[in-house]
Each structure stands twice: as C-alpha cells, then as structure tokens.
Amino acid sequence: MLRVITDERASVIQQVRKRGEGVEIGVHEGAFSERLLEVAQPKKLTLIDPWAYDGTRSGALYGGKGMSQEMMDARHGRVLKRFAPQIARGRIEVLRMESQAALARFADGSLDFAYIDGDHSYAAVKADLEGWLVKLRPGGLLIADDYRNASWWGDGVIRACHGLLAEGGAEIEMKLGSQIAFRKLAEPDLASQ
Ligand SMILES: C[S@@+](CC[C@H](N)C(=O)[O-])C[C@H]1O[C@@H](n2cnc3c(N)ncnc32)[C@H](O)[C@@H]1O
C-alpha cells in the first residue's frame, strides 16, 4: 500500500537510508521515535535522553519549570513501556544519559542518521552536530529539529547549524519548515591529491 506522508518531519526522515542504524537525541515521550520507526524503518534505533529534572532549564518539555524528577522518571518509564516489544527484539535501545556522554558508545562512521532534538541551547546543539557528524558514515544524514528563531533558545539552533556548514564536512540535503538535514561528505582522499 502506498502511504502518503504529509508532515515536514516525516518528509525529511524519509530521506534516511532504510534498514540502517540511527539515533534520536531528545526523546521526551517517544512520539517522534514512533514516526522514525515507521518512516525510516531502521534496523536499530537508539533513543538518548537523560530524562533529568533541572530547575534552571526552561520549559516543561526540557525537564525545567513545572516539572520534578519524579515526573521525568515517569516519562522514562512510559517510553520503556511504549517500546517494550522493540526493546525485547533489540531493535530499540534506550540510553538514559546526556547525548555527549552517549557518543562514546558509537564507533566513528557507523551510523546512517542522527536526529538532533535534545538541549536546544547554542552550545549544546553545536556540540551535538559536531559530535554526531563524526559518528555518521559518509552519506549519512544529520537532521536538526527547530531550525527557527523561537522560544528560550532564540537563534541558537540556526547559528549552530550555520557554524557546522562553515566548518565543512557536510552539505545541506534538505530544508523543510523547521527541519534541516545535512549530508555527511566523504573524507577527502589526501593520498590521491
Ligand atoms: C523537544 S524534546 C524531544 C521531543 C522528541 N524528539 C519528539 O519529537 O517527540 C527535548 C528532549 O531533550 C531532552 N534533553 C535535554 N537535554 C538533553 C541532552 N543533553 N541530551 C539528550 N537529550 C536531552 C529532554 O529531556 C527532552 O525530553
């Protein structure tokens, strides 16, 4: 059956290589993880989120105002329950930790995609884009959510994305609404130059 996918996020993740391996940084309740499973059809998807309460953060979505550690623990529990069948089969792995700590779990050049939707501050998005790009195979997709001037992060996501482009190593594959996808370039073959 032909499925018509209409929303922007789904259109972007449709570009990901099917039956590959990827990560979602920032999981919340796992709503988008479910879309990733359905649309990108990964062989293995790792969900990374500390589900940590931090009173200094902004917004309930990020574990800030209006939240408590008990509420974050309950969120984590709901995600484990939601994906219990996929976790049992090894198709999903849940890492309850900050994205920067999770980097060490992955070999360089091993992933087909990374979807970045964790801490939206400029410094954190910059670190995520740079760190996860290294983990992608050449041709893999690095996708950032909330590429727009909004909320408490202001232009942080936009600036971090532009910084990545300036550094080289990736080119824009697609920009749709507040989604932006970068394709990792192949390493230059220095021996043949
Ligand atoms: C916008 S929500 C993610 C929404 C989810 N991707 C979706 O679309 O359904 C942001 C999430 O990032 C998580 N987060 C905050 N800091 C993080 C970090 N350093 N590493 C990974 N995740 C982080 C928060 O706990 C929160 O669940």
Side-chain angles (χ1 to χ4, degrees):
M1 187 182 75
L2 178 68
R3 290 197 62 148
V4 180
I5 294 163
T6 50
D7 66 279
E8 290 160 356
R9 297 176 96 187
S11 300
V12 172
I13 57 171
Q14 219 171 17
Q15 310 308 313
V16 163
R17 184 164 80 172
K18 301 284 185 297
R19 283 165 290 284
E21 192 168 330
V23 295
E24 181 185 14
I25 307 303
V27 179
H28 188 54
E29 296 275 354
F32 190 64
S33 321
E34 215 161 86
R35 295 290 276 149
L36 275 168
L37 276 186
E38 183 189 326
V39 178
Q41 298 168 24
K43 183 175 66 189
K44 171 91 189 275
L45 176 64
T46 305
L47 307 180
I48 301 163
D49 195 312
W51 286 283
Y53 168 69
D54 177 347
T56 66
R57 286 189 188 202
S58 296
L61 204 62
Y62 302 87
K65 294 183 183 67
M67 293 298 294
S68 66
Q69 189 53 55
E70 290 70 30
M71 290 160 93
M72 296 303 274
D73 291 346
R75 260 187 200 166
H76 171 243
R78 285 193 293 276
V79 169
L80 293 181
K81 194 169 171 202
R82 184 174 197 157
F83 296 111
Q86 292 90 344
I87 292 169
R89 287 199 296 273
R91 190 176 177 208
I92 281 194
E93 185 179 8
V94 177
L95 296 181
R96 189 174 188 180
M97 59 176 69
E98 303 233 342
S99 64
Q100 291 299 301
L103 283 167
R105 304 281 193 109
F106 298 84
D108 292 357
S110 64
L111 297 176
D112 296 286
F113 68 91
Y115 189 86
I116 310 294
D117 193 16
D119 181 342
H120 284 38
S121 64
Y122 166 72
V125 179
K126 180 178 185 317
D128 276 346
L129 292 172
E130 290 173 359
W132 290 99
L133 183 66
V134 173
K135 302 299 169 185
L136 295 184
R137 63 169 177 78
L141 283 188
L142 184 64
I143 306 166
D145 186 33
D146 289 316
Y147 176 78
R148 62 196 168 106
N149 198 331
S151 193
W152 58 268
W153 62 85
D155 64 357
V157 176
I158 294 175
R159 277 195 296 130
C161 287
H162 293 186
L164 180 82
L165 277 178
E167 281 169 23
E171 62 185 10
I172 295 182
E173 171 73 12
M174 193 178 213
K175 155 82 179 73
L176 208 53
S178 60
Q179 306 295 299
I180 189 161
F182 301 94
R183 193 170 289 282
K184 181 171 177 172
L185 299 170
E187 308 286 342
D189 183 1
L190 298 175
S192 66
Q193 287 176 6

